Amino acid sequence: MGKKIHDMLNIDILTFNLFEEKTYIVSRSAGSCVIVDPGCSSEAERKSLMDTLAHEEVIPRAVLLTHGHLDHIYGAAFIQSAYHGIPVYMNSSDMKVVQSMGAMAHRFNMEVPDIGFKTTDIHDGDTLKEAGISFRVIQTPGHTPGGVCYLIEDEAVLFSGDTLFAGAIGRTDLGYGEYDDEIRSIMEKIILLDPSVKVYPGHGPATTIGDERTANPFLEPFNEPEEEFNPDAEPVVIHRSQ
């Protein structure tokens, strides 16, 4: 378990399942939190999640799914049941991905996830206000058809799921993926964010938009030195709260 404190935002980071998926417990106000991509796939991992929630003295108010792959949804049904039917947000285009996860589990010799959770549909540009935090939905199809990222604008924090990693992008060969859509999503919606935005991906270490803009080899030939990057497109300015 790791923990990052970004300005006033608390982000507890847990790593779960065979794919070493990153689950984020995000809180600001006392007593409540949001869980991004609960990947806990075993009794021991579910206990680790619950122990962290108890230690931080927070109760989940919502689950935010970046996409429907099994390593990101393992704990969704468990959490929704344990916390009285809290919303599980996901773009409905990924429902077919969720429903195909039995085959993916068998392919990787993993436990079949419980997909008996109810989802609340989200769309590009939506703002989700949960646990005292506002998350802007950025729809980023490519890795999956309904993939999204979640931006906390006043803290300059992005949860990118499997769209963008430190030095890499999400694979598109797992079924329903489209490489061209993924590159378009990143270049038109993500990489133009302010370079200071901290990116918390679904796997691996955190990074920043600035670092990926200038050094991510998968985005070549788009990489340019930051001061020369795309002068015709102004970065999105993030206004932090005081």
Side-chain angles (χ1 to χ4, degrees), residues 76-106:
F78 166 74
I79 294 168
Q80 189 173 64
S81 176
Y83 292 97
H84 311 293
I86 63 173
V88 174
Y89 293 104
M90 186 186 76
N91 181 268
S92 60
S93 294
D94 258 21
M95 187 54 66
K96 60 187 177 183
V97 176
V98 170
Q99 293 169 347
S100 71
M101 284 302 95
M104 185 174 178
H106 290 302

Side-chain angles (χ1 to χ4, degrees), residues 2-204:
K3 183 174 182 177
K4 300 289 185 182
I5 300 178
H6 194 287
D7 295 333
M8 296 175 61
L9 198 69
N10 293 341
I11 303 175
D12 285 275
I13 307 170
L14 298 94
T15 303
F16 289 138
N17 68 60
L18 179 66
F19 289 119
E20 298 186 346
E21 181 267 353
K22 300 294 185 181
T23 292
Y24 299 100
I25 300 174
V26 189
S27 60
R28 175 181 283 157
S29 57
S32 61
C33 70
V34 168
I35 300 178
V36 180
D37 287 352
C40 44
S41 64
S42 66
E43 183 176 350
E45 289 182 346
R46 290 188 287 272
K47 182 178 185 302
S48 176
L49 175 68
M50 299 299 282
D51 287 348
T52 302
L53 294 170
H55 180 266
E56 297 297 330
E57 299 182 334
V58 290
I59 295 173
R61 303 301 181 189
V63 171
L64 276 57
L65 299 181
T66 60
H67 64 291
H69 280 154
L70 81 171
D71 53 323
H72 292 255
I73 68 169
Y74 267 122
F78 166 74
I79 294 168
Q80 189 173 64
S81 176
Y83 292 97
H84 311 293
I86 63 173
V88 174
Y89 293 104
M90 186 186 76
N91 181 268
S92 60
S93 294
D94 258 21
M95 187 54 66
K96 60 187 177 183
V97 176
V98 170
Q99 293 169 347
S100 71
M101 284 302 95
M104 185 174 178
H106 290 302
R107 173 180 173 182
F108 290 100
N109 196 28
M110 296 172 71
E111 180 181 348
V112 176
D114 181 354
I115 63 171
F117 53 90
K118 179 181 178 181
T119 62
T120 299
D121 195 14
I122 52 175
H123 304 90
D124 191 51
D126 286 351
T127 297
L128 309 178
K129 296 183 178 181
E130 297 286 356
I133 307 167
S134 292
F135 299 85
R136 178 158 69 87
V137 177
I138 304 175
Q139 196 161 344
T140 53
H143 180 64
T144 63
V148 303
C149 299
Y150 296 99
L151 177 65
I152 306 177
E153 295 187 85
D154 61 353
E155 300 284 358
V157 165
L158 181 77
F159 297 97
S160 63
D162 288 1
T163 295
L164 180 66
F165 304 119
I169 63 174
R171 60 193 291 183
T172 56
D173 63 339
L174 295 174
Y176 302 109
E178 291 289 345
Y179 178 81
D180 288 347
D181 288 345
E182 180 158 33
I183 290 295
R184 189 177 301 111
S185 292
I186 293 170
M187 299 311 299
E188 294 181 357
K189 294 185 175 182
I190 300 302
I191 215 66
L192 293 180
L193 294 171
D194 191 279
S196 68
V197 170
K198 189 72 172 285
V199 179
Y200 291 95
H203 306 269

